[in-house]
Amino acid sequence: MGKRIFMDVPQVLDIANNLASYSETQTKMVEKYSISIKRMINDMEGTSKESLEKATTDIQKESMDAIGRMTGFSFIYKVTGNNRLLLDKEGAESAQIEKQGLGISVLETSERTGSVKCFNMYTPWMSPLGQADPKVLQQLDRSGLVLLMKQLADDNKMDQDEIDEHKRDNVDAIALVYESGQYIENQDYWSGVKYGDHAMSYDGCGIIAIVNAYHSMGVDLTDEEVAELIAEFEEYGIVCNGDYGTSPLAIVEYYAKNPFYEVRYTTTTDPEDLKVIDDRSDTFIVEIYNEGSDIFSGLHYVNIEKRVDENGDVKYIVHNAGAYNDEDGDGDVNEEEYIEYDSLELAIQAAGNNDDSQYVMVIGITKPIYSDAPEKEESTC
């Protein structure tokens, strides 16, 4: 490992401000360039016009993607600086309390107010995100958001003793709400299963999507294996002890480490990229915005099952999204009540609140191919 360079908090915050300013300047420049080029293209004809239109679109797309990443890095630097200030403040308060001999810790007396539904990004309380500026969050594109979640997962690790305790306790709690061999459609019931600082009913949709993806490929986890899965992601994939769920890149890395599965993913909105993943995958784990592409509507993971119906047509079914035809009125989902969608795009849109959801990341997984060839017979001398 190379020599690490440590910066003072003012330097970190200064870099964040400079990156944010540069991102804004570059955005205006790209928009101005695009307008000028489009005016010139309007006066052209034939193949030259078509070629330049495509080149302009590609350049604008790549430029905005790069600017989005820059905005993400700006946010990460700001988070790091604010978190350092918070730690320094807590350290000073802790020292003062110890000096006064009160015998209590700062964490026991601090309050976390405004905790609302899963992944609500308006959280006003101090966390590793600090006092995040909503305008900065709105500027994050998909790749910037994914990068931010990975950074926060890497920088905020859970205590190993707590992970081990959760794993022991979770096995019995999982047995009360989980039936191996069935899709999980009842996340609200998982309030007794721990994931980070919260219950799985709050922040466990990513874990549930993985379990459901396994089931869609014919692999059913036991209660103990689900507890192991939770512990594994508490170790390296949970974001801020579950305040912001699970890092999508951690899910990608989880499958990439397994030699039996192929994994592909995209954060772009290019239909061709999505088609490649669709054509080459057997099941999908998708992180969506609950409404449109509004980060403040919250984020949610679903598994989208890919199946072929009796007519040979490919259909898509969303699991753990709350949408199904409750024909018998019992409040539970059975096989006949699933809603089948004609395309992956329609399934993604339907996974949110208003049938208009867009994705943050689509992860496609290809199940293992097992050989039916007979084993080679051993010859005897």
Side-chain angles (χ1 to χ4, degrees):
M1 181 182 293
K3 185 177 180 181
R4 299 179 66 184
I5 299 174
F6 294 89
M7 293 181 286
D8 294 330
V9 172
Q11 290 178 287
V12 174
L13 294 177
D14 189 49
I15 291 174
N17 292 333
N18 288 339
L19 284 171
S21 176
Y22 190 62
S23 298
E24 185 177 353
T25 302
Q26 292 300 300
T27 299
K28 292 179 180 178
M29 186 185 74
V30 170
E31 291 173 350
K32 184 177 180 181
Y33 161 83
S34 298
I35 293 172
S36 300
I37 292 296
K38 286 176 182 177
R39 286 174 181 166
M40 183 176 70
I41 291 174
N42 288 337
D43 297 330
M44 300 176 64
E45 295 180 355
T47 56
S48 297
K49 180 177 181 178
E50 293 175 0
S51 298
L52 192 54
E53 280 179 337
K54 184 179 185 305
T56 301
T57 301
D58 290 343
I59 291 172
Q60 184 176 15
K61 178 181 173 183
E62 292 176 5
S63 299
M64 295 310 294
D65 182 64
I67 291 170
R69 291 176 182 272
M70 199 183 310
T71 303
F73 277 115
S74 166
F75 191 72
I76 289 168
Y77 273 102
K78 186 173 183 180
V79 165
T80 303
N82 285 340
N83 198 33
R84 283 270 302 278
L85 290 174
L86 175 62
L87 290 173
D88 291 345
K89 180 175 181 289
E90 287 183 347
E93 291 176 351
S94 179
Q96 183 65 25
I97 290 172
E98 184 176 353
K99 182 178 179 181
Q100 293 172 349
L102 299 179
I104 57 175
S105 71
V106 174
L107 293 179
E108 290 173 341
T109 58
S110 62
E111 295 184 13
R112 288 188 170 189
T113 57
S115 180
V116 282
K117 67 177 183 177
C118 185
F119 305 135
N120 186 306
M121 302 299 281
Y122 271 125
T123 45
W125 41 268
M126 293 297 290
S127 72
L129 280 177
Q131 293 289 345
D133 184 353
K135 293 181 180 178
V136 176
L137 285 172
Q138 285 176 324
Q139 291 172 5
L140 284 175
D141 67 353
R142 292 167 171 81
S143 59
L145 178 58
V146 166
L147 177 65
L148 170 63
M149 294 182 76
K150 174 174 172 52
Q151 185 73 31
L152 291 174
D154 291 344
D155 289 349
N156 299 275
K157 297 296 186 182
M158 284 184 59
D159 180 74
Q160 187 60 50
D161 289 340
E162 185 179 13
I163 295 173
D164 294 340
E165 180 184 347
H166 286 183
K167 185 163 64 172
R168 289 191 300 270
D169 295 343
N170 278 343
V171 175
D172 291 338
I174 289 168
L176 298 175
V177 293
Y178 171 64
E179 184 177 351
S180 182
Q182 301 290 330
Y183 284 106
I184 301 172
E185 309 286 358
N186 62 345
Q187 183 179 345
D188 286 346
Y189 296 170
W190 287 59
S191 58
V193 184
K194 300 172 184 175
Y195 184 47
D197 286 347
H198 306 281
M200 283 274 290
S201 55
Y202 174 88
D203 61 356
C205 55
I207 302 296
I208 288 173
I210 295 173
V211 177
N212 283 342
Y214 271 128
H215 177 63
S216 71
M217 295 185 288
V219 178
D220 294 314
L221 303 185
T222 65
D223 299 348
E224 291 78 11
E225 287 171 331
V226 175
E228 287 277 357
L229 180 68
I230 293 170
E232 184 170 350
F233 275 85
E234 283 186 325
E235 186 173 344
Y236 75 86
I238 195 169
V239 182
C240 300
N241 280 24
D243 289 349
Y244 301 96
T246 304
S247 162
L249 284 177
I251 296 177
V252 172
E253 292 168 359
Y254 169 77
Y255 281 103
K257 290 188 298 184
N258 191 321
F260 298 105
Y261 295 91
E262 290 184 8
V263 60
R264 302 171 179 85
Y265 67 94
T266 185
T267 58
T268 72
T269 55
D270 188 334
E272 288 302 314
D273 290 344
L274 193 62
K275 185 177 185 304
V276 169
I277 291 180
D278 188 358
D279 291 344
R280 298 182 182 180
S281 303
D282 296 308
T283 193
F284 310 91
I285 294 174
V286 184
E287 184 175 36
I288 61 164
Y289 301 95
N290 281 326
E291 296 176 7
S293 60
D294 180 10
I295 191 172
F296 298 116
S297 68
L299 306 176
H300 183 54
Y301 283 101
V302 295
N303 164 237
I304 298 181
E305 174 195 359
K306 183 178 181 181
R307 65 166 65 168
V308 178
D309 67 10
E310 64 273 10
N311 299 318
D313 297 323
V314 177
K315 299 293 182 180
Y316 302 84
I317 298 174
V318 185
H319 295 288
N320 193 34
Y324 60 97
N325 295 316
D326 191 12
E327 296 175 356
D328 55 15
D330 65 355
D332 293 324
V333 190
N334 58 52
E335 181 63 30
E336 292 73 28
E337 294 177 336
Y338 284 124
I339 300 173
E340 295 184 341
Y341 298 95
D342 293 332
S343 69
L344 180 58
E345 293 93 332
L346 289 174
I348 291 172
Q349 290 172 13
N353 295 340
N354 300 318
D355 289 334
D356 65 348
S357 288
Q358 298 182 31
Y359 60 83
V360 177
M361 177 182 281
V362 177
I363 303 169
I365 306 156
T366 304
K367 62 185 177 183
I369 299 176
Y370 299 101
S371 173
D372 294 328
E375 294 183 7
K376 182 179 179 181
E377 293 184 6
E378 294 290 337
S379 60
T380 58
C381 297

